Amino acid sequence: MAQSYYSVIIIGAGAAGIAAATKLLKNNFNNFIILEAENRIGGRIQTLPFGDGHIELGAQWIHGEEGNVVFQMASAQNLVSDKRETIQQFTNSTFVTSSGREIKSNHLREYINVAYSVLDDSPKDDLERFMSLGELFQKRVENVLVDTEELPLKQFINWCQHYQNSYNGSDSWFEASAINIDTYKSCPGYPAISWKSKGYSTVIDLLQEKFNDEVEHLHIKDKVIFGKEVVKIYWSGDQAEVLCADNSRFQAQCILNTMSLGVLKNLCNELFEPDLPEYKLKAIQNLGIGTVDKLFLKFPYTWWSKNNTGFSFLWSNDDREKFIKENKVLSGTLLWV
């Protein structure tokens, strides 16, 4: 594109950036570009082929139904799976210890129900409201769950922590506030809905009207300039300028920054000139974000039972420390779920 001055520059071609571009194009506004550091659109949405199907490196489930624009778009095109099948993926999970022993305790489902009820219930008083989520959980299960030889309580609680960390995107439930239980905004309906076949990247196609034969497709990709890592945003008065790592510059009346929170937290102190107001920098810095890792394995044949849809592992401290030592894991989050 020869033009270097625009009315709007969108930084980032992830879900937020693409959604913003959709809104502009639907309102016949064309004088904008999207600067994307990677060589693809989607951001933290990335679906890749894997065996006979696909895997999601990033966003995976549709969380909730009522008031959820993703669910509304996808269900209108019959793209979401049967919710009962999705529920079975969790209820049919098999619990196994790190030594390879399957947990067959009659108390297991009871313990899981107790854990869910604790994590779903709001703080009862001011004391609980100032606790971390981990402290609240330990307080509430202290006299409810008991340690048995067939179901080690410490290992089960450790599994609960990592299960909840993966849900919250936190590194520890002692870093997450218990008050978040009743302040976290969620859409009513089933919380983890799967896609039928094409995966979460279908959202990008939905935004571009590719499933609507009555509407001209929105060619958002034509607005994207790839390989543009933004390193500086100059803002003052009625004009702004963006400097990229390759020394290219783009000017605009308005900058819409949709880069991910992790990137923004890492760059915010040197990204803007002049600096953002102190209250905005503090808001960015105080927003918590953890790491959720995924590990994909492909087996040559199905060795698990037909009704089993997954495994949950109860790791002993000795086995976990041995694994970390042998694999030279020095930092980061290990998800034992």
Side-chain angles (χ1 to χ4, degrees):
M1 299 180 184
Q3 183 182 13
S4 60
Y5 185 86
Y6 303 88
S7 295
V8 177
I9 293 175
I10 300 173
I11 300 176
I18 297 299
T22 298
K23 180 68 76 172
L24 292 176
L25 289 176
K26 283 189 172 182
N27 285 276
N28 298 316
F29 188 95
N30 290 284
N31 188 22
F32 73 93
I33 56 166
I34 306 174
L35 301 179
E36 170 55 46
E38 302 292 336
N39 60 359
R40 62 177 184 85
I41 63 175
R44 287 178 291 174
I45 298 173
Q46 188 175 13
T47 306
L48 294 179
F50 189 77
D52 296 330
H54 65 267
I55 55 174
E56 304 284 7
L57 296 190
Q60 183 161 341
W61 291 290
I62 302 173
H63 298 293
E65 302 162 79
E66 187 179 328
N68 187 331
V69 65
V70 175
F71 177 80
Q72 292 169 356
M73 289 191 300
S75 60
Q77 300 297 332
N78 196 27
L79 297 172
V80 297
S81 70
D82 188 301
K83 293 189 289 294
R84 289 171 296 180
E85 293 178 0
T86 309
I87 293 171
Q88 290 174 355
Q89 293 175 5
F90 295 93
T91 58
N92 291 345
S93 178
T94 298
F95 279 73
V96 182
T97 67
S98 51
S99 62
R101 177 174 62 87
E102 183 178 342
I103 300 293
K104 295 184 179 294
S105 171
N106 295 328
H107 299 297
L108 179 57
R109 295 303 164 191
E110 175 189 338
Y111 278 29
I112 293 175
N113 289 335
V114 170
Y116 285 163
S117 66
V118 169
L119 295 170
D120 288 341
D121 198 11
S122 303
K124 299 297 185 184
D125 51 44
D126 288 339
L127 178 63
E128 289 190 347
R129 291 175 66 86
F130 286 99
M131 287 182 173
S132 68
L133 185 58
E135 290 171 327
L136 177 66
F137 186 90
Q138 292 183 343
K139 169 182 177 290
R140 289 184 174 180
V141 303
E142 183 177 9
N143 298 317
V144 178
L145 305 182
V146 296
D147 191 32
T148 65
E149 185 175 346
E150 58 181 0
L151 182 54
L153 186 57
K154 280 188 177 180
Q155 295 181 29
F156 177 75
I157 291 178
N158 188 52
W159 175 84
C160 291
Q161 175 181 184
H162 289 294
Y163 175 90
Q164 190 63 27
N165 288 343
S166 70
Y167 182 80
N168 287 345
S170 59
D171 293 330
S172 168
W173 63 1
F174 293 105
E175 297 175 354
S177 172
I179 199 172
N180 285 341
I181 296 176
D182 59 2
T183 58
Y184 180 79
K185 177 70 169 67
S186 58
C187 298
Y190 193 72
I193 301 170
S194 296
W195 297 78
K196 269 189 175 178
S197 59
K198 295 186 177 182
Y200 214 111
S201 290
T202 311
V203 166
I204 307 302
D205 293 335
L206 287 167
L207 287 171
Q208 296 181 89
E209 304 285 0
K210 288 188 177 181
F211 290 88
N212 191 344
D213 295 332
E214 299 178 359
V215 178
E216 183 180 354
H217 296 172
L218 301 175
H219 299 288
I220 295 175
K221 199 171 182 178
D222 295 341
K223 290 289 187 178
V224 183
I225 304 179
F226 294 104
K228 295 298 180 181
E229 178 187 352
V230 174
V231 295
K232 204 76 175 179
I233 299 174
Y234 302 94
W235 62 285
S236 179
D238 59 356
Q239 183 171 308
E241 186 176 44
V242 174
L243 172 66
C244 298
D246 61 2
N247 288 322
S248 58
R249 293 174 179 264
F250 302 86
Q251 294 181 329
Q253 291 178 299
C254 175
I255 305 291
L256 180 58
N257 188 3
T258 71
M259 62 178 59
S260 67
L261 177 58
V263 174
L264 183 61
K265 285 172 69 69
N266 188 50
L267 299 179
C268 64
N269 288 326
E270 54 267 353
L271 180 63
F272 300 94
E273 189 174 315
D275 291 339
L276 291 179
E278 187 66 22
Y279 76 94
K280 288 191 176 182
L281 289 174
K282 284 185 177 180
I284 294 171
Q285 292 161 353
N286 290 334
L287 285 169
I289 183 170
T291 301
V292 178
D293 295 320
K294 294 181 179 182
L295 182 65
F296 296 96
L297 303 175
K298 181 182 178 182
F299 298 98
Y301 61 91
T302 303
W303 49 266
W304 52 91
S305 66
K306 183 178 180 180
N307 295 326
N308 183 22
T309 57
F311 292 91
S312 293
F313 300 108
L314 302 183
W315 285 79
S316 69
N317 288 334
D318 289 342
D319 286 343
R320 183 168 62 252
E321 290 173 4
K322 180 181 178 182
F323 179 89
I324 293 174
K325 183 178 180 180
E326 290 180 350
N327 291 275
K328 298 180 181 179
V329 180
L330 301 178
S331 63
T333 300
L334 296 178
L335 188 59
W336 314 113
V337 178

